[in-house]
Amino acid sequence: MSAGRSVLVVGRSGQLAEALLPALRAAGFEAVAMGRPDLDLRDGDSVQAAVRRTRPALVVNAAAWTAVDRAEDEPWPAEALNAGGPAILADASRAWGAAMVQVSTDYVFDGRKGAPYTERDNPAPRSIYGASKLAGEYAVRQANPRSVVLRTSWLCSATGHNFLRTVLRLASEREELRVVADQLGAPTFADDLAVAIATMAPSLIAAEAGSTRFGVFHLAGAPHTSWHGFAEAILRGAAARGHRAPKLTAITTAEYPTPATRPADSRLDCTRIADVHGIAAPDWRVALDRALDTLVGPTLAPQPARQSKEGISA
Ligand SMILES: NC(=O)c1ccc[n+]([C@@H]2O[C@H](COP(=O)([O-])OP(=O)(O)OC[C@H]3O[C@@H](n4cnc5c(N)ncnc54)[C@H](OP(=O)(O)O)[C@@H]3O)[C@@H](O)[C@H]2O)c1
């Protein structure tokens, strides 16, 4: 591969990993995605071999243990993959001379601020998953000074396990969906996040350690909403494409207990990435339309107005 244009994506079949390859290639990079069994993030030898083989100018870590609730009972895989793995990768990328992007999460915050979180706010995770991702952030920043920690939230895509696909599946099966309305945040579509990473890539590859291009950044979709608001938009968009639409009921977090505690308000302030990298928070409603076109089909043509004796009626 030509030096300076090669990007190693760690993780192969995940939501973000799948979106990164086309986005990076469209931006002119020679991108390779590697995952198990060729690259196991918990195994230093396999990580170093992958870096030597792909000779990257930039490494993007899209692999993680994302089973938030399971991590409460099984903390070890989350800690190994979300904290230990990024440390190994950051070490290998620094030794090779590559910059690195570590993707992280809004769940590093406790959700009590009452306003969107900036990169200067102190993290205080309330779950094992959040704590393991925060440990990964610290490890990467310490091991590779030419690194970006990119926090995002509510990741979705037309593939993989996510809220969008769960809502569509349950909408086919149930008469009523009950969705939490008192947790605030924002959906972020993997293809938008991937384009943002591809946009940052050239300047990360060129920048020296100490540049403001590195450090912690937030990028999530806009506008902010609740899980209930997101479900409403999904059902409305799906119904416009002829999908079955059940009744949607707003509930509280207390009515839907989960093993892991989620932040009640994890809205992310995305000003810094706009100022430093010129990347605006992507409108998730546009990305949702794209995903629904793929998952459900195109929007149905509006029915022609029926002529009644009195005149035009809907
Ligand atoms: N999902 C969300 O709602 C959300 C929200 C905020 C932030 N994030 C962050 O965004 C990033 C991408 O998340 P995602 O939703 O795209 O994740 P995902 O769909 O769950 O994919 C995780 C990836 O990690 C890989 N992986 C697992 N164990 C591995 C190992 N030992 N070695 C190498 N690869 C391994 C998986 O590969 P296999 O196919 O081999 O299992 C898979 O490709 C993560 O850092 C996550 O923490 C996610």
Side-chain angles (χ1 to χ4, degrees):
M1 280 190 192
S2 56
R5 301 303 292 171
S6 62
V7 180
L8 170 61
V9 174
V10 177
R12 205 160 23 200
S13 60
Q15 300 189 80
L16 179 59
E18 281 200 344
L20 272 166
L21 278 197
L24 287 163
R25 286 175 182 161
F29 290 98
E30 295 170 43
V32 175
M34 290 185 72
R36 293 176 293 177
D38 312 318
L39 187 168
D40 187 325
L41 203 43
R42 297 162 301 183
D43 170 6
D45 289 344
S46 82
V47 170
Q48 281 163 18
V51 168
R52 277 197 303 272
R53 204 170 106 202
T54 53
R55 309 169 67 80
L58 177 70
V59 174
V60 183
N61 183 19
W65 176 272
T66 54
V68 176
D69 287 318
R70 259 177 71 194
E72 294 299 308
D73 286 334
E74 296 175 50
W76 301 117
E79 284 157 10
L81 203 62
N82 296 345
I88 292 171
L89 193 60
D91 211 33
S93 59
R94 184 208 24 85
W96 183 259
M100 176 168 169
V101 175
Q102 165 69 11
V103 181
S104 194
T105 172
D106 55 326
Y107 284 11
V108 298
F109 293 115
D110 65 13
R112 295 186 172 121
K113 182 181 176 188
Y117 284 96
T118 74
E119 294 81 353
R120 288 182 306 280
D121 288 315
N122 285 330
R126 304 187 70 186
S127 61
I128 301 278
Y129 167 76
S132 69
K133 292 293 293 183
L134 181 61
E137 292 187 3
Y138 290 150
V140 169
R141 292 178 67 195
Q142 193 168 37
N144 189 342
R146 293 181 63 238
S147 60
V148 158
V149 166
L150 185 56
R151 294 187 187 129
T152 191
S153 62
W154 302 10
L155 203 61
C156 272
S157 68
T159 61
H161 300 288
N162 57 56
F163 183 81
L164 162 63
R165 295 189 64 205
T166 302
V167 166
L168 288 177
R169 177 173 53 77
L170 294 179
S172 311
E173 297 169 4
R174 298 192 183 171
E175 296 306 318
E176 182 188 10
L177 296 191
R178 294 160 56 78
V179 179
V180 171
D182 58 358
Q183 283 175 31
L184 300 180
T188 311
F189 278 75
D191 50 0
D192 286 332
L193 190 63
V195 167
I197 292 171
T199 303
M200 297 166 87
S203 63
L204 299 183
I205 289 170
E208 304 283 343
S211 164
T212 53
R213 303 257 164 194
F214 298 119
V216 182
F217 293 90
H218 292 172
L219 187 66
H224 300 133
T225 187
S226 66
W227 288 112
H228 178 269
F230 186 27
E232 205 166 37
I234 294 169
L235 293 177
R236 197 183 320 114
R241 290 163 173 82
H243 198 281
R244 186 168 178 273
K247 179 179 170 216
L248 178 65
T249 304
I251 60 168
T252 63
T253 301
E255 291 175 87
Y256 187 72
T258 52
T261 304
R262 274 118 173 119
D265 178 357
S266 62
R267 288 172 293 161
L268 296 176
D269 181 313
C270 302
T271 308
R272 182 166 187 241
I273 198 166
D275 291 347
V276 174
H277 286 283
I279 294 169
D283 189 329
W284 58 263
R285 297 165 300 189
V286 176
L288 173 61
D289 271 334
R290 278 198 308 268
L292 288 173
D293 284 346
T294 303
L295 290 168
V296 184
T299 312
L300 301 179
Q303 298 299 305
R306 278 184 283 118
Q307 195 82 33
S308 74
K309 276 185 193 152
E310 292 78 28
I312 304 293
S313 66

